[in-house]
Amino acid sequence: MKRTWNWKAPAVICSGLGLVVLGCSTGGANAESPAPESMKMMAQSRVNVTNLYNDTCGKCHGVNGQGGGGGTKSLNTKDKFDQKWDRPFFDVIKKGVPDFGMEAYGETMSDEVIWAMVVHIRELQAKALRAEFGGPQAENGVYKGTRADYRIETVVDSGLKTPWAIDWLPDGKMLVTNRPGTLSVVVGGKVVGSVTGIPKVIELGQGGLMEVAAHPNYKDNGWLYLSYTEPGKENSGAGFTKVVRGKLRWNGNNAQWHSQETIWEVAQDNYTGSGVHFGCRLVFDKGYLYFGTGERGNGNRAQDLTRPNGKIHRVFDDGRIPTDNPFVNTDGALKSVWSYGHRNPQGLVMDANGGLWDTEHGPRGGDEVNLIKKGANYGWPNFAWSINYNDSPLNVPWDPSGKISQPAFRWLPSIGACGLDLARGAAFPAWNGDLLAGGLSGANLDRIRMKDGKFVEREELIFGMGRVRDVSVAPDGTVYVALNQPDKIIRLVPAN
Ligand code: HEC
């Protein structure tokens, strides 16, 4: 994404963490001459994180983090890879280890550059640990997990094209969205039919047909919900996320979509040709519908309450706006906004205690698991756990004012978080209540345990089988995973 370096209030940088930052004046920006900190940030955007680490730190810590020089130990241990070391690492780099010859880099590096050093170390660690330990491996088809043993079965291996989401109807039929715009009907592991007459989508980069979700009372009301990228009315090459519901008229294994109602759509001036960051999972709870929209590559709009980008929204399941939404009385604000400052939430789920969780993409490093709170700001693009794709520093994760909601867990490096569900049902009682989160570029499925909103443990269940697009727990508790490259659906079943 494109961004400029002068968006951040100087006060934020200068007071940053209460630590010494070179070039900061407490008087704030002066209109006549460029503020020294914005000059520093322009210089910072030219920093190459890898080169800086190699030149400055490599002689002691090794260019791969292996240690050995200047009395250093390896950084590449499972313990040091844990997120609990983020802040201690940052502080050590800032303050140095004078007794061992490591200087205080806070005197020559900005906080953003120091955080970028931590991100770089995380990338080195991940590479080294993957080379040493690999991913989960089966023995005689059985994966020995830390809390439950499982097998992986292929469910569907043909007939799908970039499958994006999975849901089930009460009669056991499985519905799968294909991103280019078709909705497949799957029975017994085979694509046996499709739903025709669904809205026309535009497959714009990461956008297209996204979520499918049956209403919790589907048996009684027959409502099926879809989220998708709708082509613009004035400019058909542009698009924006839209949510609709409709009903199915069956004819054998094929169904006709009818009685469509719009649940949520935005004004045409929001439609854009950007091919990134669309959201959009649907979550039902107590008559409400929650869903996320990505910022479409326009980070500043994630902070703008008048824009639909980069938000979690909450409406009634028929699309009406609840009067207790946090910004219904804020002038100009979009009334459906429930929380803001999101980059691209592609995972959303409600836990058994009514906690709403999202997973979302950072740029390079710093994908997040957030507990979503009413009216809260999740910080993007002003605070992030990542660096830029081009290896230059971005910003620091911590907000000195304490107003920004922090993730309960962050993936560093990024996994390309996509797809999230809650372990429940009979198949894996030992996982009950845990988050099951997928990764596109990480090609992983992680089980993450939270307690009272806090991270407890992470276990990688799948690695390297394809890009994980959706995770969906079936009514029997087995865990379905939609993959792409190759396009297929697999599932985790208990080993015994
Ligand atoms: C002159 C050698 C030297 C240089 C140069 C150096 N360090 Fe260190 N660093 C050390 C020593 C010695 C320690 C403490 C022993 C250890 O943890 O291995 C340390 C500790 C650390 C730690 C804490 C490690 C832990 O296990 O808790 C981090 C993180 C770190 N350094 C990062 C950096 C970064 C980033 C740079 C470059 C900007 C850098 N260091 C430059 C010598 C060096």
Side-chain angles (χ1 to χ4, degrees), residues 400-422:
S401 80
K403 287 188 187 136
I404 301 298
S405 294
Q406 291 291 348
F409 181 78
R410 92 290 173 278
W411 284 277
L412 258 179
S414 295
I415 59 162
C418 195
L420 180 68
D421 208 349
L422 191 74

mmCIF file with all atom_site columns, all heavy atoms in Angstrom, residues 400-422:
data_model
loop_
_atom_site.group_PDB
_atom_site.id
_atom_site.type_symbol
_atom_site.label_atom_id
_atom_site.label_alt_id
_atom_site.label_comp_id
_atom_site.label_asym_id
_atom_site.label_entity_id
_atom_site.label_seq_id
_atom_site.pdbx_PDB_ins_code
_atom_site.Cartn_x
_atom_site.Cartn_y
_atom_site.Cartn_z
_atom_site.occupancy
_atom_site.B_iso_or_equiv
_atom_site.pdbx_formal_charge
_atom_site.auth_seq_id
_atom_site.auth_comp_id
_atom_site.auth_asym_id
_atom_site.auth_atom_id
_atom_site.pdbx_PDB_model_num
ATOM 1   N N   . PRO A 1 400 ? 1.494   5.230   23.004 1.00 0.00 ? 400 PRO A N   1
ATOM 2   C CA  . PRO A 1 400 ? 1.824   5.826   24.298 1.00 0.00 ? 400 PRO A CA  1
ATOM 3   C C   . PRO A 1 400 ? 0.591   6.275   25.081 1.00 0.00 ? 400 PRO A C   1
ATOM 4   O O   . PRO A 1 400 ? 0.615   6.301   26.306 1.00 0.00 ? 400 PRO A O   1
ATOM 5   C CB  . PRO A 1 400 ? 2.709   7.015   23.949 1.00 0.00 ? 400 PRO A CB  1
ATOM 6   C CG  . PRO A 1 400 ? 2.852   7.055   22.488 1.00 0.00 ? 400 PRO A CG  1
ATOM 7   C CD  . PRO A 1 400 ? 2.074   5.944   21.863 1.00 0.00 ? 400 PRO A CD  1
ATOM 8   N N   . SER A 1 401 ? -0.492  6.616   24.382 1.00 0.00 ? 401 SER A N   1
ATOM 9   C CA  . SER A 1 401 ? -1.682  7.090   25.102 1.00 0.00 ? 401 SER A CA  1
ATOM 10  C C   . SER A 1 401 ? -2.473  5.927   25.699 1.00 0.00 ? 401 SER A C   1
ATOM 11  O O   . SER A 1 401 ? -3.365  6.130   26.510 1.00 0.00 ? 401 SER A O   1
ATOM 12  C CB  . SER A 1 401 ? -2.587  7.873   24.150 1.00 0.00 ? 401 SER A CB  1
ATOM 13  O OG  . SER A 1 401 ? -3.348  6.975   23.355 1.00 0.00 ? 401 SER A OG  1
ATOM 14  N N   . GLY A 1 402 ? -2.162  4.718   25.254 1.00 0.00 ? 402 GLY A N   1
ATOM 15  C CA  . GLY A 1 402 ? -2.875  3.547   25.771 1.00 0.00 ? 402 GLY A CA  1
ATOM 16  C C   . GLY A 1 402 ? -4.290  3.416   25.254 1.00 0.00 ? 402 GLY A C   1
ATOM 17  O O   . GLY A 1 402 ? -5.059  2.574   25.716 1.00 0.00 ? 402 GLY A O   1
ATOM 18  N N   . LYS A 1 403 ? -4.668  4.227   24.252 1.00 0.00 ? 403 LYS A N   1
ATOM 19  C CA  . LYS A 1 403 ? -6.056  4.213   23.771 1.00 0.00 ? 403 LYS A CA  1
ATOM 20  C C   . LYS A 1 403 ? -6.299  3.166   22.685 1.00 0.00 ? 403 LYS A C   1
ATOM 21  O O   . LYS A 1 403 ? -7.435  2.840   22.374 1.00 0.00 ? 403 LYS A O   1
ATOM 22  C CB  . LYS A 1 403 ? -6.419  5.591   23.219 1.00 0.00 ? 403 LYS A CB  1
ATOM 23  C CG  . LYS A 1 403 ? -6.611  6.618   24.317 1.00 0.00 ? 403 LYS A CG  1
ATOM 24  C CD  . LYS A 1 403 ? -7.170  7.921   23.749 1.00 0.00 ? 403 LYS A CD  1
ATOM 25  C CE  . LYS A 1 403 ? -7.214  9.003   24.809 1.00 0.00 ? 403 LYS A CE  1
ATOM 26  N NZ  . LYS A 1 403 ? -6.730  10.291  24.295 1.00 0.00 ? 403 LYS A NZ  1
ATOM 27  N N   . ILE A 1 404 ? -5.215  2.718   22.074 1.00 0.00 ? 404 ILE A N   1
ATOM 28  C CA  . ILE A 1 404 ? -5.361  1.774   20.967 1.00 0.00 ? 404 ILE A CA  1
ATOM 29  C C   . ILE A 1 404 ? -5.456  0.357   21.522 1.00 0.00 ? 404 ILE A C   1
ATOM 30  O O   . ILE A 1 404 ? -4.651  -0.038  22.364 1.00 0.00 ? 404 ILE A O   1
ATOM 31  C CB  . ILE A 1 404 ? -4.143  1.884   20.023 1.00 0.00 ? 404 ILE A CB  1
ATOM 32  C CG1 . ILE A 1 404 ? -4.013  3.303   19.467 1.00 0.00 ? 404 ILE A CG1 1
ATOM 33  C CG2 . ILE A 1 404 ? -4.205  0.850   18.915 1.00 0.00 ? 404 ILE A CG2 1
ATOM 34  C CD1 . ILE A 1 404 ? -5.184  3.765   18.636 1.00 0.00 ? 404 ILE A CD1 1
ATOM 35  N N   . SER A 1 405 ? -6.452  -0.396  21.034 1.00 0.00 ? 405 SER A N   1
ATOM 36  C CA  . SER A 1 405 ? -6.589  -1.778  21.482 1.00 0.00 ? 405 SER A CA  1
ATOM 37  C C   . SER A 1 405 ? -5.502  -2.634  20.855 1.00 0.00 ? 405 SER A C   1
ATOM 38  O O   . SER A 1 405 ? -5.302  -2.603  19.645 1.00 0.00 ? 405 SER A O   1
ATOM 39  C CB  . SER A 1 405 ? -7.959  -2.321  21.082 1.00 0.00 ? 405 SER A CB  1
ATOM 40  O OG  . SER A 1 405 ? -8.964  -1.636  21.782 1.00 0.00 ? 405 SER A OG  1
ATOM 41  N N   . GLN A 1 406 ? -4.824  -3.388  21.675 1.00 0.00 ? 406 GLN A N   1
ATOM 42  C CA  . GLN A 1 406 ? -3.723  -4.224  21.203 1.00 0.00 ? 406 GLN A CA  1
ATOM 43  C C   . GLN A 1 406 ? -4.207  -5.650  20.954 1.00 0.00 ? 406 GLN A C   1
ATOM 44  O O   . GLN A 1 406 ? -5.127  -6.119  21.620 1.00 0.00 ? 406 GLN A O   1
ATOM 45  C CB  . GLN A 1 406 ? -2.608  -4.242  22.257 1.00 0.00 ? 406 GLN A CB  1
ATOM 46  C CG  . GLN A 1 406 ? -1.895  -2.912  22.406 1.00 0.00 ? 406 GLN A CG  1
ATOM 47  C CD  . GLN A 1 406 ? -1.043  -2.569  21.190 1.00 0.00 ? 406 GLN A CD  1
ATOM 48  O OE1 . GLN A 1 406 ? -0.805  -3.404  20.322 1.00 0.00 ? 406 GLN A OE1 1
ATOM 49  N NE2 . GLN A 1 406 ? -0.595  -1.324  21.111 1.00 0.00 ? 406 GLN A NE2 1
ATOM 50  N N   . PRO A 1 407 ? -3.574  -6.328  19.999 1.00 0.00 ? 407 PRO A N   1
ATOM 51  C CA  . PRO A 1 407 ? -3.970  -7.715  19.746 1.00 0.00 ? 407 PRO A CA  1
ATOM 52  C C   . PRO A 1 407 ? -3.633  -8.619  20.936 1.00 0.00 ? 407 PRO A C   1
ATOM 53  O O   . PRO A 1 407 ? -2.668  -8.352  21.661 1.00 0.00 ? 407 PRO A O   1
ATOM 54  C CB  . PRO A 1 407 ? -3.134  -8.110  18.521 1.00 0.00 ? 407 PRO A CB  1
ATOM 55  C CG  . PRO A 1 407 ? -1.993  -7.147  18.479 1.00 0.00 ? 407 PRO A CG  1
ATOM 56  C CD  . PRO A 1 407 ? -2.492  -5.873  19.108 1.00 0.00 ? 407 PRO A CD  1
ATOM 57  N N   . ALA A 1 408 ? -4.435  -9.671  21.110 1.00 0.00 ? 408 ALA A N   1
ATOM 58  C CA  . ALA A 1 408 ? -4.127  -10.650 22.147 1.00 0.00 ? 408 ALA A CA  1
ATOM 59  C C   . ALA A 1 408 ? -2.985  -11.543 21.683 1.00 0.00 ? 408 ALA A C   1
ATOM 60  O O   . ALA A 1 408 ? -2.232  -12.083 22.485 1.00 0.00 ? 408 ALA A O   1
ATOM 61  C CB  . ALA A 1 408 ? -5.360  -11.486 22.450 1.00 0.00 ? 408 ALA A CB  1
ATOM 62  N N   . PHE A 1 409 ? -2.888  -11.693 20.375 1.00 0.00 ? 409 PHE A N   1
ATOM 63  C CA  . PHE A 1 409 ? -1.797  -12.478 19.788 1.00 0.00 ? 409 PHE A CA  1
ATOM 64  C C   . PHE A 1 409 ? -1.455  -11.859 18.446 1.00 0.00 ? 409 PHE A C   1
ATOM 65  O O   . PHE A 1 409 ? -2.313  -11.321 17.771 1.00 0.00 ? 409 PHE A O   1
ATOM 66  C CB  . PHE A 1 409 ? -2.225  -13.940 19.595 1.00 0.00 ? 409 PHE A CB  1
ATOM 67  C CG  . PHE A 1 409 ? -1.141  -14.818 19.025 1.00 0.00 ? 409 PHE A CG  1
ATOM 68  C CD1 . PHE A 1 409 ? -0.119  -15.293 19.826 1.00 0.00 ? 409 PHE A CD1 1
ATOM 69  C CD2 . PHE A 1 409 ? -1.133  -15.146 17.672 1.00 0.00 ? 409 PHE A CD2 1
ATOM 70  C CE1 . PHE A 1 409 ? 0.894   -16.081 19.293 1.00 0.00 ? 409 PHE A CE1 1
ATOM 71  C CE2 . PHE A 1 409 ? -0.133  -15.932 17.133 1.00 0.00 ? 409 PHE A CE2 1
ATOM 72  C CZ  . PHE A 1 409 ? 0.880   -16.408 17.948 1.00 0.00 ? 409 PHE A CZ  1
ATOM 73  N N   . ARG A 1 410 ? -0.173  -11.890 18.107 1.00 0.00 ? 410 ARG A N   1
ATOM 74  C CA  . ARG A 1 410 ? 0.246   -11.391 16.796 1.00 0.00 ? 410 ARG A CA  1
ATOM 75  C C   . ARG A 1 410 ? 1.158   -12.431 16.166 1.00 0.00 ? 410 ARG A C   1
ATOM 76  O O   . ARG A 1 410 ? 1.912   -13.107 16.859 1.00 0.00 ? 410 ARG A O   1
ATOM 77  C CB  . ARG A 1 410 ? 0.931   -10.023 16.917 1.00 0.00 ? 410 ARG A CB  1
ATOM 78  C CG  . ARG A 1 410 ? 2.437   -10.058 17.072 1.00 0.00 ? 410 ARG A CG  1
ATOM 79  C CD  . ARG A 1 410 ? 2.889   -10.596 18.408 1.00 0.00 ? 410 ARG A CD  1
ATOM 80  N NE  . ARG A 1 410 ? 4.314   -10.799 18.518 1.00 0.00 ? 410 ARG A NE  1
ATOM 81  C CZ  . ARG A 1 410 ? 4.985   -11.855 18.076 1.00 0.00 ? 410 ARG A CZ  1
ATOM 82  N NH1 . ARG A 1 410 ? 4.379   -12.829 17.450 1.00 0.00 ? 410 ARG A NH1 1
ATOM 83  N NH2 . ARG A 1 410 ? 6.278   -11.928 18.246 1.00 0.00 ? 410 ARG A NH2 1
ATOM 84  N N   . TRP A 1 411 ? 1.010   -12.604 14.845 1.00 0.00 ? 411 TRP A N   1
ATOM 85  C CA  . TRP A 1 411 ? 1.921   -13.498 14.126 1.00 0.00 ? 411 TRP A CA  1
ATOM 86  C C   . TRP A 1 411 ? 3.055   -12.667 13.548 1.00 0.00 ? 411 TRP A C   1
ATOM 87  O O   . TRP A 1 411 ? 2.817   -11.754 12.755 1.00 0.00 ? 411 TRP A O   1
ATOM 88  C CB  . TRP A 1 411 ? 1.220   -14.207 12.975 1.00 0.00 ? 411 TRP A CB  1
ATOM 89  C CG  . TRP A 1 411 ? 0.331   -15.333 13.355 1.00 0.00 ? 411 TRP A CG  1
ATOM 90  C CD1 . TRP A 1 411 ? 0.701   -16.629 13.606 1.00 0.00 ? 411 TRP A CD1 1
ATOM 91  C CD2 . TRP A 1 411 ? -1.097  -15.320 13.468 1.00 0.00 ? 411 TRP A CD2 1
ATOM 92  N NE1 . TRP A 1 411 ? -0.405  -17.395 13.876 1.00 0.00 ? 411 TRP A NE1 1
ATOM 93  C CE2 . TRP A 1 411 ? -1.517  -16.615 13.795 1.00 0.00 ? 411 TRP A CE2 1
ATOM 94  C CE3 . TRP A 1 411 ? -2.058  -14.316 13.329 1.00 0.00 ? 411 TRP A CE3 1
ATOM 95  C CZ2 . TRP A 1 411 ? -2.854  -16.952 13.971 1.00 0.00 ? 411 TRP A CZ2 1
ATOM 96  C CZ3 . TRP A 1 411 ? -3.386  -14.645 13.516 1.00 0.00 ? 411 TRP A CZ3 1
ATOM 97  C CH2 . TRP A 1 411 ? -3.779  -15.944 13.829 1.00 0.00 ? 411 TRP A CH2 1
ATOM 98  N N   . LEU A 1 412 ? 4.246   -12.996 13.923 1.00 0.00 ? 412 LEU A N   1
ATOM 99  C CA  . LEU A 1 412 ? 5.439   -12.374 13.383 1.00 0.00 ? 412 LEU A CA  1
ATOM 100 C C   . LEU A 1 412 ? 6.402   -13.485 13.042 1.00 0.00 ? 412 LEU A C   1
ATOM 101 O O   . LEU A 1 412 ? 6.855   -14.148 13.961 1.00 0.00 ? 412 LEU A O   1
ATOM 102 C CB  . LEU A 1 412 ? 6.085   -11.462 14.435 1.00 0.00 ? 412 LEU A CB  1
ATOM 103 C CG  . LEU A 1 412 ? 5.888   -9.967  14.345 1.00 0.00 ? 412 LEU A CG  1
ATOM 104 C CD1 . LEU A 1 412 ? 6.588   -9.261  15.494 1.00 0.00 ? 412 LEU A CD1 1
ATOM 105 C CD2 . LEU A 1 412 ? 6.372   -9.438  13.023 1.00 0.00 ? 412 LEU A CD2 1
ATOM 106 N N   . PRO A 1 413 ? 6.752   -13.724 11.810 1.00 0.00 ? 413 PRO A N   1
ATOM 107 C CA  . PRO A 1 413 ? 6.262   -13.043 10.612 1.00 0.00 ? 413 PRO A CA  1
ATOM 108 C C   . PRO A 1 413 ? 4.794   -13.353 10.299 1.00 0.00 ? 413 PRO A C   1
ATOM 109 O O   . PRO A 1 413 ? 4.194   -14.221 10.928 1.00 0.00 ? 413 PRO A O   1
ATOM 110 C CB  . PRO A 1 413 ? 7.176   -13.603 9.514  1.00 0.00 ? 413 PRO A CB  1
ATOM 111 C CG  . PRO A 1 413 ? 7.672   -14.918 10.031 1.00 0.00 ? 413 PRO A CG  1
ATOM 112 C CD  . PRO A 1 413 ? 7.717   -14.794 11.522 1.00 0.00 ? 413 PRO A CD  1
ATOM 113 N N   . SER A 1 414 ? 4.257   -12.643 9.301  1.00 0.00 ? 414 SER A N   1
ATOM 114 C CA  . SER A 1 414 ? 2.862   -12.795 8.889  1.00 0.00 ? 414 SER A CA  1
ATOM 115 C C   . SER A 1 414 ? 2.555   -14.205 8.412  1.00 0.00 ? 414 SER A C   1
ATOM 116 O O   . SER A 1 414 ? 3.397   -14.843 7.805  1.00 0.00 ? 414 SER A O   1
ATOM 117 C CB  . SER A 1 414 ? 2.550   -11.897 7.698  1.00 0.00 ? 414 SER A CB  1
ATOM 118 O OG  . SER A 1 414 ? 2.640   -10.570 8.033  1.00 0.00 ? 414 SER A OG  1
ATOM 119 N N   . ILE A 1 415 ? 1.310   -14.606 8.644  1.00 0.00 ? 415 ILE A N   1
ATOM 120 C CA  . ILE A 1 415 ? 0.837   -15.851 8.030  1.00 0.00 ? 415 ILE A CA  1
ATOM 121 C C   . ILE A 1 415 ? -0.168  -15.545 6.921  1.00 0.00 ? 415 ILE A C   1
ATOM 122 O O   . ILE A 1 415 ? -0.645  -16.447 6.247  1.00 0.00 ? 415 ILE A O   1
ATOM 123 C CB  . ILE A 1 415 ? 0.177   -16.780 9.074  1.00 0.00 ? 415 ILE A CB  1
ATOM 124 C CG1 . ILE A 1 415 ? -1.019  -16.081 9.744  1.00 0.00 ? 415 ILE A CG1 1
ATOM 125 C CG2 . ILE A 1 415 ? 1.199   -17.225 10.103 1.00 0.00 ? 415 ILE A CG2 1
ATOM 126 C CD1 . ILE A 1 415 ? -1.961  -17.023 10.441 1.00 0.00 ? 415 ILE A CD1 1
ATOM 127 N N   . GLY A 1 416 ? -0.539  -14.280 6.725  1.00 0.00 ? 416 GLY A N   1
ATOM 128 C CA  . GLY A 1 416 ? -1.622  -13.944 5.795  1.00 0.00 ? 416 GLY A CA  1
ATOM 129 C C   . GLY A 1 416 ? -2.932  -14.457 6.345  1.00 0.00 ? 416 GLY A C   1
ATOM 130 O O   . GLY A 1 416 ? -3.637  -15.249 5.713  1.00 0.00 ? 416 GLY A O   1
ATOM 131 N N   . ALA A 1 417 ? -3.279  -14.009 7.562  1.00 0.00 ? 417 ALA A N   1
ATOM 132 C CA  . ALA A 1 417 ? -4.399  -14.585 8.312  1.00 0.00 ? 417 ALA A CA  1
ATOM 133 C C   . ALA A 1 417 ? -5.684  -14.598 7.491  1.00 0.00 ? 417 ALA A C   1
ATOM 134 O O   . ALA A 1 417 ? -6.100  -13.575 6.955  1.00 0.00 ? 417 ALA A O   1
ATOM 135 C CB  . ALA A 1 417 ? -4.618  -13.794 9.608  1.00 0.00 ? 417 ALA A CB  1
ATOM 136 N N   . CYS A 1 418 ? -6.307  -15.760 7.392  1.00 0.00 ? 418 CYS A N   1
ATOM 137 C CA  . CYS A 1 418 ? -7.554  -15.896 6.636  1.00 0.00 ? 418 CYS A CA  1
ATOM 138 C C   . CYS A 1 418 ? -8.316  -17.108 7.144  1.00 0.00 ? 418 CYS A C   1
ATOM 139 O O   . CYS A 1 418 ? -7.787  -18.217 7.149  1.00 0.00 ? 418 CYS A O   1
ATOM 140 C CB  . CYS A 1 418 ? -7.259  -16.043 5.145  1.00 0.00 ? 418 CYS A CB  1
ATOM 141 S SG  . CYS A 1 418 ? -8.701  -15.798 4.108  1.00 0.00 ? 418 CYS A SG  1
ATOM 142 N N   . GLY A 1 419 ? -9.540  -16.879 7.570  1.00 0.00 ? 419 GLY A N   1
ATOM 143 C CA  . GLY A 1 419 ? -10.361 -17.989 8.041  1.00 0.00 ? 419 GLY A CA  1
ATOM 144 C C   . GLY A 1 419 ? -10.168 -18.196 9.534  1.00 0.00 ? 419 GLY A C   1
ATOM 145 O O   . GLY A 1 419 ? -9.029  -18.230 10.030 1.00 0.00 ? 419 GLY A O   1
ATOM 146 N N   . LEU A 1 420 ? -11.286 -18.268 10.255 1.00 0.00 ? 420 LEU A N   1
ATOM 147 C CA  . LEU A 1 420 ? -11.226 -18.402 11.718 1.00 0.00 ? 420 LEU A CA  1
ATOM 148 C C   . LEU A 1 420 ? -12.502 -19.074 12.174 1.00 0.00 ? 420 LEU A C   1
ATOM 149 O O   . LEU A 1 420 ? -13.588 -18.730 11.708 1.00 0.00 ? 420 LEU A O   1
ATOM 150 C CB  . LEU A 1 420 ? -11.117 -17.000 12.342 1.00 0.00 ? 420 LEU A CB  1
ATOM 151 C CG  . LEU A 1 420 ? -11.044 -16.902 13.866 1.00 0.00 ? 420 LEU A CG  1
ATOM 152 C CD1 . LEU A 1 420 ? -9.742  -17.481 14.386 1.00 0.00 ? 420 LEU A CD1 1
ATOM 153 C CD2 . LEU A 1 420 ? -11.166 -15.436 14.308 1.00 0.00 ? 420 LEU A CD2 1
ATOM 154 N N   . ASP A 1 421 ? -12.374 -20.056 13.032 1.00 0.00 ? 421 ASP A N   1
ATOM 155 C CA  . ASP A 1 421 ? -13.576 -20.638 13.634 1.00 0.00 ? 421 ASP A CA  1
ATOM 156 C C   . ASP A 1 421 ? -13.248 -21.056 15.059 1.00 0.00 ? 421 ASP A C   1
ATOM 157 O O   . ASP A 1 421 ? -12.093 -20.948 15.496 1.00 0.00 ? 421 ASP A O   1
ATOM 158 C CB  . ASP A 1 421 ? -14.114 -21.809 12.798 1.00 0.00 ? 421 ASP A CB  1
ATOM 159 C CG  . ASP A 1 421 ? -15.630 -21.972 12.967 1.00 0.00 ? 421 ASP A CG  1
ATOM 160 O OD1 . ASP A 1 421 ? -16.218 -21.337 13.876 1.00 0.00 ? 421 ASP A OD1 1
ATOM 161 O OD2 . ASP A 1 421 ? -16.242 -22.740 12.205 1.00 0.00 ? 421 ASP A OD2 1
ATOM 162 N N   . LEU A 1 422 ? -14.275 -21.523 15.730 1.00 0.00 ? 422 LEU A N   1
ATOM 163 C CA  . LEU A 1 422 ? -14.153 -21.898 17.132 1.00 0.00 ? 422 LEU A CA  1
ATOM 164 C C   . LEU A 1 422 ? -14.282 -23.419 17.223 1.00 0.00 ? 422 LEU A C   1
ATOM 165 O O   . LEU A 1 422 ? -15.249 -23.989 16.704 1.00 0.00 ? 422 LEU A O   1
ATOM 166 C CB  . LEU A 1 422 ? -15.285 -21.231 17.919 1.00 0.00 ? 422 LEU A CB  1
ATOM 167 C CG  . LEU A 1 422 ? -15.191 -21.286 19.430 1.00 0.00 ? 422 LEU A CG  1
ATOM 168 C CD1 . LEU A 1 422 ? -14.116 -20.326 19.926 1.00 0.00 ? 422 LEU A CD1 1
ATOM 169 C CD2 . LEU A 1 422 ? -16.543 -20.921 20.048 1.00 0.00 ? 422 LEU A CD2 1
#
